[in-house]
Amino acid sequence: MNSVIQERDIPSLACGARYLGSGGGGNSYLLQLLTMRAIRDCGPVPFVSALAMDEGTWSAPVAIMGSPSILNEKILTGVELLQAVQILEEQAGIRIDALMGLEIGGLNALTPVLAAALSGRPLLDSDGMGRAFTELQMTTFHAFGVSASPLVMVNEQGRWEHIATPSNWDVEWIARRKVIDLGGWATIASYPMKLQQVKEVGIHQSFSLAKRLGDSVIAAKEDIHQVMKALVQIFSHSLYGRPAKLIEGKVVELERRITGGMMNGMLVIEGEGEHIGEQLEVVFQNEFLLAKQGDRLIATVPDLLCVLDVDNGFPIVVEEMENHKKVWVVAIPAHPLIRHSKMLQTVGPKRYGLAKEFIPLEQLRQSDDREAEGHVSAGY
Amino acid sequence: MNEKERLQEERKLLLQEVEALLSMIAAPVLVIDQNGAILHVNTLAEQAWRRSQITLTNKQIAELIDQEDILTYLKQGKPTKNLPVQIKDSTGGHHPYRCRLHPLFVNQKVAGAVLQLMKQEPIPEQGADRRYRVRYTFHDIRGSSEVLTSLLAEAEKVAKSDSTILVRGESGTGKEVLAQAIHHASLRSDGPFLALNCAAIPESLLESELFGYEEGAFTGAKKGGKMGRFELARGGTLFLDEVGDMPLHLQAKLLRVLQERRIERVGGSGSIPIDVRVIAATHKDLEAMIARQKFREDLYYRLNVIPLVMPPLRERKADLYDLIHYFMKKFSVRLDKEIKRFSSQALQCLYDYHWPGNVRELENVAEYIMNLEIGELVTVTSLPAYMRNAPARGAEPDFPVIKRTEVPETTYLNFDEAEKKLLFEALKRFGMSTEGKRKAAEALGISVSTLYRKLQRIRRENKLSR
Amino acid sequence: MYRLGIDVDGVNTYCVVVSQNLQVICKAQLPTTDDVLTGIEQIVRHVLQHAGLHPSQIKAVIIGTSQGYKALLDHQNLAGVITIRLGTSKGSIPPLYEADQSLQQAIRLRYVELPGGHMVDGTPYPMENSRSLLEQFLRGVSVNPDDAFAIASTFSPMNGDHERQVAAWIKQLCGTHVSLTMSHEIGNIGFLERENTAVLNAALARSMRQTLCGLTELFQCLGVSAGIFLTQNNGSVMSHTYALRYPIRTLCSRACNSFRGAAFLAGRNDCVMVNVEENLTHIGIWKKGFPKLIGVGRKIAGIPVNLQMPEISTLDWGAKREVDDDALDRIYQAIQRYQPRFEPLPILFTGEGSEKVVPLFKYPWADVVQTDHTAYVSAIGACIAPISGHVDRMYWLNENNGRDEAIALAKEEAVKEAVLAGANPETVNIQAIEAAPLSYIPCQALRIQVRATGLIEPNGPFR
C-alpha cells in the first residue's frame, strides 16, 4: 500500500487484521464485499501517514459496534457510516477531513476503508487499539486524555443516537445499551481529534502492518509452518515484537457462555508433538486474554494471543472455536503504546480480574528453557 | 466370547497401551524387528525424520540411521546406552543423536529392538570461532521505505555470490551491520567474519594487521609470527571499513592481493593463498579522491564489483518514526522505564532535522530521551539543543507532505553562471555524497565524470580567484 | 420386495437390485445418455429382465446423481429466478453478487427489496405496503411460467412468518403451481449465504421438475409403482416431493453414496474412508452411518452458500501416479484430521487405486481394510441409504422457553422433516443433537441442530 488503497489490497488487509484480533474482532465477508465494491465505484482510497498531515486537520475514528453475527444477518449498506460522520460533524461543529481506525483487529480494519471510499476522504494509517478490544474506552485515545464525546451511532434504518458525556466509561456504558436498541449493531464515529492530537496519541502504521501481514500470510498458502514464519518475520520487524509459539495440540475442553452480551469462557489445549504432556489453558472474554499452565502465567492481555487452525494457519475466533480442533497457540507482544501504564488501566489483566499485574511476554518467557535467544532466523 | 475373540481383544488393548506409551516418551522412538524393518514409531520420530509413520514403517533401519554398528548390536541383542548416530531425514539432512538400544527377545531369540534417540549436544565451538560470529542478520536492518527495501533485496541477491562488494554511505548508516547481514546470508556463513577499520589503526600497524607478520619481522614481533585478518578470515568474510583511509602504498598491496588471491606476510618470503570474500566500505567520495589521485583507480574497480549504497537517514524519513520508537523500546527495556510519546512539534522537529550522524545518531538521541526525567511526553524543549535549530532541510521525505511549493525566480545570467547555478541547485537538492552526485548528474542530464570535471574546474577557478 | 439403486455419473449409469436381506442380486451398467432418462429406462429394463423380476416387486427406487451440480457449473437448463428480499436496509450487496456473468444471465436474476423481516429478538419489522410494492414489481418484470422465486427475510431462521406470507402472496399473484424457495427452509444464519442458497435452489427447480416428471412417467411405463427417492448431501435419501422443493440438497450426494456403499461392503459403520480414484483421492469420516457435515465457508460455482455438505478432503493425487513417500504422508495427514483422540477408527480403502496403496499402508493401531473395487459402490450406497430429517435453526430463549424446551421443539421439527422426506413415522428416531450459543448477541439465542432418521418401510431391515 503506497499512497492509495486499492480493491486488491482488501483481502490482505482483512486477513492480517484477523491475526491482530487476538481471537475477537469478528469476521464479516459482507463488509469485505462492500468495501471492495465501494472502491470499485468511488475510486481508490487516498492513504496518508498521520505524521505527514497538517496539524489543524480534523479527523475521527470510525467503527462498527455490536454483534458481527447480527451484522451478517441484518445487513449493512455503508451509507450508515457516511451518516455517522456527517452527524458527528454537525454535533461537534467541525469538518472532518480525514478518517482513521478505532480498532485495527478484526472487521473494523475494513470499516474505515469503506467509510473513506464512500466519502472520498483520505484514510490515516492509524488506529487506537493496535488489536481488538471490546469496549470504547479501551483505546490509546482515552488513555492519553482524549474525550470520546461527541459520539454518534447510526443503524441501517437511519436511526441515530448521540452521546456527549465527559466520562468515556459512561460513553461506553450508554453506547452498549443503545446498540441493543438500534437492533444489535451500529456504525460509530467518535473521538473527534485534530491531527496534532492524533500524532501524539494514535498508534501509527496500523493498516500498513495489517496489510503486510495479510500479504505474507496469503503467500504462505495455508501451510501453518510458513504462516508462523510470516508472523515472526512481520511482527519482529514491527514495534510489536517477536511472536512465540506457546503450544501445539488438540482442544480438549471448551467452555463458552454469554453473559451480558460478552462471550466468556476458556479452552484447554493438550499438547502434541514436542509439547507432549503439556497443557495450556486460554481464558477469553470476546478476545483471548490469558494463557497459563496450571498456575503459571504464560501470556496476558494486552499482549496478543492467536489460536491457529493447523489445517490452514488461520486464526480461529472465539465464537468459531470447536472441541477436538488441532491448533497452535501463538503469543505476540503488544505494541509499546498498548503496554503503557495509562493504557493498562483499562486493558490490563487487573481490569479483567485475571491477574494482579501485566508482565510482558518476553519477561514471562525468559524462564522458559525452550526459548532460543537472539535472532529471528533461529526459528520459532 | 470365545478364546480367539478374547485374544483379539487383549491384543487390541496391548496395542492401545503401546501407542499411549510411545506418545508419552519425550524423544523419538523406533521399534524394529530382528531384520531392522521398522514396526512402530512415535510422533517425535515423525518430526525428527519429517515423515509420517506410514512411510517410516515401510523402511529399513539402515535407511534412517547412519551407523554401521546398529545392525550388529541388533542382531546380537546387545543393549547400548549412548551410541552416537546420525539420522538421515527426508530432506537429506543429517542430525546427530545419541541412541539407546533395548533388545527384544522371544523364546531366547532376538525378535527386534526399541531405539530411543536423544539429542546430541552440539560440539562446543573452538574459542577462535566464537569470537568471529556475526550479531546481525538482514532482519536487524529495520525500515520499510522503498529505498531501503530495494537495497536489502539487492544485498540479499548478491550475498550468495563471492564477488567483492563496496558499500557506500555516510557514517552511522549501518555499513557494518549490512556487511554482517550479507555474511550471514552468504554461503560462507559458517565461516568467520572479521572486520578491520582502516581509519582506526595507525598506518604503521595496518599492514601487519591485514597481512600478518613472520617471526622477527620487527622489534616486538611475536614468536611464531601472527596471522593477519586475511588469514584469520579463511573460509569466511573480511570487512574492510573506511577503505578510503588506506594509504596509497597499502592500496597497491591490497590490489595485488585481490588480483592474485595470495598474501605475503610482513617479513615473510612465501605467499599464502587466501579464501575470503571481501566487503569494503567507505563514507568518502572515492571518485573525487581518484581525481585528486588519493585513491587508486584500479583498486577502485576491483572493489566496486558490486556497489551498494546505504541511504542516509534523511533519504528514508518514512522509517524515522519506526526507528526512533524501536530504539526507545530497546532503551525502555534496558533502563526499565516506560516508553515516551512525542508531541506533534517534537515529531516535526525530528523530521526536519537532517541527521548527519544517521541511524547511529538517532539511536543516541533515543537513549538521551529515555534517560531524561521529563514525564511521558517528549516536547521540543526536551530534544537536544542542536536539533531544535535545524539547518536547511535535506532531501524530500518519502511520504506525500502537504505543503506549499516555492516558485523559483528567474534572473539573467551568462551561460557559465547559469550552468554553475544549475549545478549547485542540483547538488543542494540531492546532497554532496557520492550517491547525491550521481543523482544530480542524472537530473542534469550529464555523465558523472562530466559533473566531476565541471566541479574540479569550478574549484580551480575559485582557488585562482582568491 | 426389492429395491433399485441407480447411480448416474457423467460417463455411466449403474443400477443394482438389492433384496430385503441386503443381498445384491443383480447389477448392470450402461453409458449415460444425453437426456439421462433414456439411459435409466434402458438399464432398468435390463436388470428387471436379468434378475427375472416383475416390476411390481420393486418397492423403492433410489437415484443418486450429480446432475444438479453439473447444471449449476454449466448453466444448463436453469430456471429464471426472481428474488424477494425482506429487510430493513436498502442497496447493500445484491443476491448472487459473486456469480459470473453467464450464471447471472442464465437465471436472468431479478430482485426487489421490500420492507419486512425480523429483529434478533423476533420482533417483526412492519411489512408496510410490501404487498402492493411486490405487485408493482411483478408487473414491471416479465415473469415466465417457468421462473422460480426465492424469498429471503432477515432472521427468518428464527421466525419464518414473513417468508411464508410473501410465499402466499406470490401464489395469489402468480398461481399456486409456481415454484418457490423460502430461505429459512434451506439455510441458517448468514443472510447473503442463505439468500444465495435459496436462489440456487430456485434455479434448479425447473430441471428437477422435468427430471422427476420424466422419472415418474418412465417408471409408470415400466410398471414400477414404487416411490422414487433421491439421495441428498447429508447421505440420506429424500422423497420425490421433497426433492422437488430442495433440489440443491442433491448436489454432493454421490460422495456420500460411495462412502455408504463401501462401508456396507466392508461391514463397517464407523471408519475413516479413503476413496482412491484415478486422479483424486477423497478422505472423509463415516460415523454411525453418516458423514461429518459442515455448513460454513462453502462455495458452489464460486458463490458463498449456507448448505450442509459432507466434509471431505480431496488430494490431487490419484491411482495413476506412483505411490511414493510424499503421497503416503499426505494421505496419512488427511486421515489424521478425522481420527478421534483416543482409539483410532479403522481405515477403509476403497476405489480403483486402493489396491496400490494398501500394501504400503502399514498402520498398527487400527484395522486397515480394503473393499474390492466395484464401480457399483455408489449405486449400492444409494440403495441402502436411510431417510433423514435435518433441522438447523436458531431458537430464542426466554423465561418460558428455556434450553430444554427449545431442544424439544427442534426434535419435533426434525421428526416432522423426516416424515415429510418419506419416512414411516413409526420408525423415526433421533440420531444426533448439537446446541451452541450464538456470539455477541446480548440475549440468549441458541443454535440447535437435530437429525432424525427413519425407514421407508414399516418393518424392513433397510436402516
Side-chain angles (χ1 to χ4, degrees):
Chain A
M1 251 173 336
N2 299 308
S3 50
V4 287
I5 300 178
Q6 317 232 14
E7 194 187 333
R8 60 166 181 267
D9 297 326
I10 300 303
S12 283
L13 180 58
C15 176
R18 286 166 67 181
Y19 292 87
L20 291 167
S22 188
N27 275 334
S28 178
Y29 194 50
L30 164 72
L31 193 55
Q32 203 171 317
L33 291 177
L34 284 170
T35 311
M36 288 168 77
R37 182 175 79 162
I39 294 179
R40 206 179 310 142
D41 293 343
C42 310
V45 174
F47 185 56
V48 193
S49 166
L51 305 157
M53 248 195 153
D54 181 49
E55 293 203 338
T57 313
W58 280 97
S59 170
V62 293
I64 295 173
M65 184 176 177
S67 159
S69 320
I70 300 185
L71 180 68
N72 287 329
E73 183 60 35
K74 182 165 72 87
I75 57 185
L76 171 83
T77 61
V79 155
E80 306 85 341
L81 286 165
L82 288 182
Q83 289 172 322
V85 174
Q86 217 175 317
I87 299 169
L88 179 63
E89 285 179 319
E90 288 165 22
Q91 296 290 327
I94 56 175
R95 170 148 174 92
I96 294 171
D97 279 319
L99 296 174
M100 58 186 285
L102 181 75
E103 172 185 52
I104 192 68
L107 61 82
N108 276 321
L110 294 180
T111 322
V113 182
L114 174 58
L118 292 174
S119 66
R121 273 166 255 234
L123 176 70
L124 301 179
D125 193 1
S126 312
D127 84 307
M129 290 182 181
R131 48 163 285 169
F133 280 124
T134 314
E135 297 179 356
L136 286 171
Q137 80 286 1
M138 293 176 170
T139 56
T140 49
F141 312 142
H142 164 79
F144 298 121
V146 182
S147 173
S149 307
L151 179 142
V152 174
M153 336 172 43
V154 185
N155 78 357
E156 84 288 354
Q157 295 168 41
R159 267 184 58 201
W160 59 273
E161 297 282 350
H162 153 249
I163 303 170
T165 175
S167 156
N168 288 347
W169 300 82
D170 286 346
V171 171
E172 154 65 33
W173 198 90
I174 300 169
R176 196 63 55 182
R177 271 132 202 87
K178 291 206 189 251
V179 149
I180 300 176
D181 262 349
L182 288 170
W185 63 261
T187 58
I188 53 176
S190 63
Y191 287 106
M193 287 177 278
K194 278 201 173 151
L195 254 291
Q196 180 185 1
Q197 255 187 324
V198 175
K199 294 185 201 195
E200 291 174 9
V201 306
I203 299 170
H204 303 299
Q205 299 167 342
S206 317
F207 291 88
S208 310
L209 175 70
K211 201 247 173 190
R212 260 203 319 277
L213 184 57
D215 281 340
S216 284
V217 165
I218 291 173
K221 298 208 172 112
E222 301 193 7
D223 175 342
I224 192 166
H225 300 271
Q226 298 301 324
V227 167
M228 186 68 198
K229 279 208 177 105
L231 292 176
V232 169
Q233 149 88 326
I234 301 286
F235 278 112
S236 302
H237 245 52
S238 72
L239 289 174
Y240 284 68
R242 187 174 159 198
K245 176 180 170 191
L246 300 184
I247 199 172
E248 167 184 348
K250 220 166 188 162
V251 176
V252 295
E253 240 184 272
L254 175 62
E255 247 181 60
R256 243 189 323 216
R257 8 159 236 292
I258 312 256
T259 33
M262 312 282 189
M263 185 167 269
N264 302 345
M266 59 83 124
L267 60 141
V268 177
I269 294 129
E270 204 171 87
E272 293 178 350
E274 58 182 26
H275 293 270
I276 202 104
E278 292 173 32
Q279 252 201 6
L280 189 76
E281 188 185 321
V282 178
V283 177
F284 56 83
Q285 267 186 46
N286 295 334
E287 302 94 34
F288 297 122
L289 298 178
L290 192 93
K292 58 183 178 170
Q293 263 176 344
D295 281 329
R296 185 169 142 237
L297 207 62
I298 307 288
T300 142
V301 66
D303 285 343
L304 285 72
L305 281 164
C306 293
V307 179
L308 307 181
D309 187 337
V310 157
D311 287 333
N312 51 30
F314 290 151
I316 307 173
V317 290
V318 155
E319 61 259 28
E320 283 170 10
M321 191 62 62
E322 275 173 19
N323 232 325
H324 312 307
K325 248 198 158 5
K326 287 196 164 189
V327 298
W328 285 18
V329 180
V330 176
I332 304 160
H335 189 285
L337 279 178
I338 322 174
R339 289 170 157 187
H340 195 281
S341 56
K342 288 191 177 165
M343 187 69 175
L344 289 176
Q345 281 168 21
T346 5
V347 302
K350 192 163 172 193
R351 162 77 178 72
Y352 288 95
L354 291 172
K356 282 216 190 67
E357 53 164 358
F358 168 68
I359 305 175
L361 179 70
E362 300 91 322
Q363 226 173 295
L364 288 171
R365 285 190 74 73
Q366 255 167 27
S367 46
D368 193 342
D369 296 332
R370 224 190 296 265
E371 175 76 330
E373 297 283 91
H375 298 299
V376 164
S377 50
Y380 46 84
Chain B
M1 189 178 330
N2 63 25
E3 182 63 17
K4 182 170 169 206
E5 283 171 356
R6 193 187 64 77
L7 281 171
Q8 268 179 352
E9 225 181 74
E10 217 177 86
R11 183 171 182 275
K12 265 194 189 159
L13 182 61
L14 273 170
L15 267 179
Q16 288 277 313
E17 266 185 54
V18 170
E19 204 257 322
L21 289 165
L22 279 179
S23 74
M24 290 183 185
I25 302 175
V29 172
L30 301 174
V31 181
I32 58 179
D33 72 6
Q34 64 270 34
N35 298 317
I38 312 293
L39 294 176
H40 300 147
V41 307
N42 69 354
T43 324
L44 286 178
E46 286 181 322
Q47 284 186 1
W49 272 278
R50 299 177 201 232
R51 278 280 173 222
S52 71
Q53 58 173 299
I54 300 298
T55 46
L56 289 175
T57 45
N58 280 334
K59 297 199 188 303
Q60 293 282 325
I61 190 72
E63 291 173 71
L64 300 180
I65 290 188
D66 218 348
Q67 167 55 267
E68 302 159 342
D69 301 331
I70 277 272
L71 277 171
T72 327
Y73 284 122
L74 166 69
K75 294 211 191 283
Q76 291 177 355
K78 213 171 122 174
T80 79
K81 267 236 171 87
N82 259 320
L83 185 66
V85 300
Q86 294 262 346
I87 71 163
K88 299 184 280 191
D89 73 21
S90 64
T91 65
H94 281 65
H95 309 275
Y97 278 86
R98 286 173 292 126
C99 175
R100 178 179 161 179
L101 189 149
H102 180 113
L104 301 169
F105 291 94
V106 173
N107 296 333
Q108 281 102 50
K109 280 209 300 218
V110 173
V114 178
L115 283 83
Q116 181 186 13
L117 298 170
M118 279 139 321
K119 255 264 181 239
Q120 176 82 294
E121 290 303 322
I123 302 158
E125 292 158 8
Q126 277 120 35
D129 284 353
R130 221 179 306 158
R131 272 186 289 152
Y132 302 136
R133 301 262 98 191
V134 288
R135 271 183 66 200
Y136 299 110
T137 71
F138 278 114
H139 286 139
D140 295 298
I141 304 176
R142 301 182 67 92
S144 51
S145 60
E146 224 181 282
V147 62
L148 186 74
T149 39
S150 53
L151 164 72
L152 291 180
E154 215 193 317
E156 263 185 288
K157 258 196 302 193
V158 301
K160 293 241 186 294
S161 82
D162 240 19
S163 307
T164 308
I165 296 175
L166 179 61
V167 182
R168 319 286 289 272
E170 295 178 12
S171 70
T173 48
K175 300 190 284 296
E176 175 158 358
V177 176
L178 183 68
Q180 289 199 17
I182 292 173
H183 169 79
H184 186 268
S186 72
L187 299 168
R188 294 169 170 271
S189 57
D190 281 336
F193 175 90
L194 271 91
L196 180 75
N197 188 326
C198 303
I201 301 192
E203 231 180 86
S204 47
L205 294 179
L206 192 52
E207 188 172 354
S208 53
E209 278 298 319
L210 273 172
F211 308 120
Y213 59 79
E214 292 291 7
E215 187 176 311
F218 48 81
T219 345
K222 260 212 261 184
K223 206 163 162 52
K226 185 171 159 208
M227 281 201 283
R229 302 291 164 109
F230 270 100
E231 284 183 76
L232 287 170
R234 175 175 304 279
T237 310
L238 178 62
F239 176 55
L240 296 174
D241 203 357
E242 305 293 8
V243 73
D245 282 65
M246 193 178 277
L248 275 166
H249 72 277
L250 271 184
Q251 289 180 27
K253 230 188 161 186
L254 179 61
L255 173 65
R256 230 191 26 257
V257 166
L258 293 176
Q259 283 168 334
E260 327 235 310
R261 317 263 2 143
R262 303 184 80 88
I263 55 153
E264 275 172 29
R265 289 195 188 178
V266 176
S269 44
S271 67
I272 306 166
I274 54 160
D275 170 26
V276 266
R277 194 262 186 91
V278 174
I279 302 177
T282 181
H283 69 279
K284 292 213 156 132
D285 185 344
L286 288 185
E287 287 88 348
M289 287 177 77
I290 293 170
R292 285 190 315 230
Q293 292 171 339
K294 294 282 198 232
F295 200 86
R296 294 185 64 114
E297 198 171 10
D298 44 9
L299 176 61
Y300 171 78
Y301 287 119
R302 269 284 156 182
L303 292 173
N304 201 31
V305 177
I306 299 177
L308 293 176
V309 181
M310 285 298 276
L313 187 55
R314 77 190 75 85
E315 276 176 31
R316 38 185 282 232
K317 288 215 173 143
D319 294 332
L320 216 151
Y321 181 84
D322 186 59
L323 279 170
I324 193 148
H325 281 86
Y326 171 72
F327 289 126
M328 299 235 302
K329 184 176 170 186
K330 176 168 134 186
F331 291 114
S332 84
V333 169
R334 195 184 290 180
L335 300 168
D336 198 20
K337 289 170 109 180
E338 186 143 72
I339 197 169
K340 300 192 196 315
R341 294 178 298 127
F342 287 97
S343 77
S344 178
Q345 288 87 346
L347 275 174
Q348 193 60 49
C349 191
L350 291 174
Y351 272 105
D352 292 343
Y353 185 56
H354 71 289
W355 298 103
N358 297 292
V359 179
R360 194 182 300 132
E361 186 180 4
L362 182 71
E363 185 173 358
N364 293 339
V365 170
E367 186 173 7
Y368 170 82
I369 291 171
M370 285 304 296
N371 268 301
L372 292 177
E373 295 299 330
I374 53 165
E376 57 104 16
L377 188 69
V378 179
T379 57
V380 177
T381 45
S382 323
L383 295 174
Y386 63 83
M387 285 181 64
R388 288 181 244 149
N389 318 313
R393 296 173 191 198
E396 296 287 306
D398 280 338
F399 45 80
V401 177
I402 327 274
K403 62 175 185 187
R404 279 177 315 152
T405 46
E406 288 174 327
V407 179
E409 49 174 71
T410 46
T411 46
Y412 291 100
L413 303 161
N414 73 14
F415 192 81
D416 281 338
E417 290 289 323
E419 192 185 72
K420 237 198 264 183
K421 193 172 163 75
L422 274 174
L423 235 125
F424 284 124
E425 286 288 329
L427 287 173
K428 197 167 104 179
R429 177 129 193 272
F430 293 105
M432 288 291 281
S433 66
T434 316
E435 184 59 21
K437 285 192 185 113
R438 190 189 62 76
K439 283 191 179 155
E442 202 180 307
L444 291 167
I446 58 176
S447 73
V448 178
S449 40
T450 309
L451 177 74
Y452 275 108
R453 265 188 298 111
K454 289 188 190 291
L455 281 175
Q456 266 191 312
R457 197 196 63 198
I458 294 168
R459 280 191 202 114
R460 260 184 282 126
E461 283 168 10
N462 286 344
K463 264 195 192 156
L464 288 173
S465 65
R466 288 207 190 108
Chain C
M1 300 306 161
Y2 298 89
R3 267 193 182 188
L4 226 57
I6 303 176
D7 175 48
V8 183
D9 80 13
V11 181
N12 288 314
T13 301
Y14 305 86
C15 182
V16 299
V17 182
V18 176
S19 71
Q20 220 162 330
N21 46 8
L22 298 181
Q23 297 281 18
V24 178
I25 64 162
C26 183
K27 45 190 194 205
Q29 79 178 64
L30 286 173
T32 302
T33 54
D34 281 337
D35 69 339
V36 180
L37 292 174
T38 315
I40 294 181
E41 190 193 337
Q42 289 170 349
I43 204 159
V44 173
R45 280 193 197 284
H46 178 98
V47 298
L48 283 180
Q49 191 182 46
H50 228 73
L53 292 176
H54 191 267
S56 61
Q57 288 178 285
I58 307 293
K59 277 306 160 199
V61 178
I62 302 133
I63 304 173
T65 166
S66 49
Q67 201 191 349
Y69 200 69
K70 198 161 175 295
L72 281 178
L73 288 179
D74 300 338
H75 313 322
Q76 297 292 345
N77 204 14
L78 297 173
V81 179
I82 299 167
T83 313
I84 320 277
R85 184 189 272 192
L86 291 157
T88 47
S89 65
K90 286 200 160 296
S92 184
I93 300 289
L96 242 56
Y97 183 65
E98 291 178 282
D100 59 40
Q101 275 281 50
S102 53
L103 181 59
Q104 300 251 14
Q105 277 168 1
I107 64 177
R108 285 173 51 235
L109 185 64
R110 291 141 281 174
Y111 93 104
V112 65
E113 292 175 331
L114 303 175
H118 287 79
M119 302 291 119
V120 66
D121 62 359
T123 343
Y125 187 76
M127 290 208 279
E128 282 179 27
N129 61 348
S130 302
R131 197 206 150 111
S132 49
L133 286 169
L134 177 64
E135 264 185 278
Q136 207 178 1
F137 168 73
L138 289 175
R139 274 201 295 270
V141 301
S142 49
V143 183
N144 290 355
D146 260 350
D147 282 343
F149 288 83
I151 308 164
S153 156
T154 311
F155 279 112
S156 59
M158 291 178 85
N159 189 327
D161 283 349
H162 285 194
E163 286 184 358
R164 283 185 283 268
Q165 177 64 273
V166 171
W169 290 340
I170 292 173
K171 289 209 166 117
Q172 288 166 16
L173 294 167
C174 301
T176 48
H177 293 295
V178 75
S179 169
L180 46 80
T181 304
M182 290 183 285
S183 80
H184 74 272
E185 294 187 332
I186 282 278
N188 207 333
I189 292 290
F191 190 84
L192 288 182
E193 293 87 345
R194 188 173 72 253
E195 189 187 50
N196 286 342
T197 317
V199 171
L200 292 178
N201 192 59
L204 290 169
R206 179 168 74 186
S207 95
M208 181 58 73
R209 192 172 45 235
Q210 286 171 353
T211 309
L212 287 172
C213 266
L215 283 171
T216 318
E217 257 185 56
L218 190 165
F219 283 105
Q220 258 175 15
C221 273
L222 291 168
V224 175
S225 56
I228 301 174
F229 297 86
L230 292 177
T231 57
Q232 45 175 332
N233 300 335
N234 64 9
S236 63
V237 301
M238 53 180 172
S239 70
H240 174 265
T241 22
Y242 210 71
L244 263 179
R245 272 168 76 182
Y246 309 118
I248 204 169
R249 292 217 173 131
T250 62
L251 292 189
C252 311
S253 61
R254 287 192 66 244
C256 284
N257 297 345
S258 307
F259 278 11
R260 186 178 297 284
F264 169 74
L265 291 173
R268 304 268 178 171
N269 227 12
D270 295 272
C271 56
V272 176
M273 201 82 73
V274 183
N275 183 3
V276 187
E277 295 176 348
E278 198 182 312
N279 289 310
L280 303 170
T281 300
H282 308 283
I283 299 109
I285 194 172
W286 196 250
K287 275 217 111 172
K288 294 202 181 79
F290 277 93
K292 180 161 177 240
L293 296 172
I294 55 170
V296 287
R298 307 305 293 262
K299 283 191 175 191
I300 297 178
I303 304 158
V305 293
N306 200 314
L307 198 62
Q308 291 267 310
M309 297 203 274
E311 184 173 8
I312 295 178
S313 311
T314 303
L315 303 177
D316 61 351
W317 176 91
K320 71 176 186 192
R321 286 166 63 174
E322 191 200 330
V323 187
D324 58 5
D325 283 351
D326 276 330
L328 286 173
D329 276 353
R330 287 176 69 196
I331 295 175
Y332 174 68
Q333 299 301 347
I335 292 172
Q336 284 306 98
R337 263 192 73 186
Y338 296 99
Q339 286 286 26
R341 187 160 155 254
F342 298 121
E343 197 169 5
L345 293 171
I347 300 169
L348 174 50
F349 279 88
T350 174
E352 56 197 275
S354 53
E355 53 185 24
K356 267 176 90 168
V357 179
V358 171
L360 295 170
F361 204 90
K362 299 194 199 95
Y363 185 69
W365 319 115
D367 293 339
V368 176
V369 183
Q370 184 191 344
T371 61
D372 291 326
H373 170 60
T374 163
Y376 297 94
V377 69
S378 240
I380 295 171
C383 214
I384 57 175
I387 303 210
S388 80
H390 200 99
V391 149
D392 179 7
R393 221 154 289 168
M394 301 294 311
Y395 294 88
W396 187 256
L397 302 182
N398 52 42
E399 319 81 54
N400 299 326
N401 287 313
R403 188 196 154 91
D404 294 332
E405 283 86 352
I407 291 181
L409 210 74
K411 278 189 191 172
E412 244 183 73
E413 286 195 44
V415 170
K416 255 194 267 185
E417 287 279 310
V419 171
L420 228 104
N424 186 302
E426 290 164 35
T427 63
V428 177
N429 56 48
I430 306 292
Q431 275 246 338
I433 303 176
E434 257 182 64
L438 199 64
S439 66
Y440 284 107
I441 293 184
C443 311
Q444 299 284 28
L446 210 61
R447 178 188 183 173
I448 306 181
Q449 297 169 279
V450 184
R451 180 175 68 222
T453 52
L455 311 174
I456 297 179
E457 280 136 345
N459 296 311
F462 287 100
R463 325 201 94 260

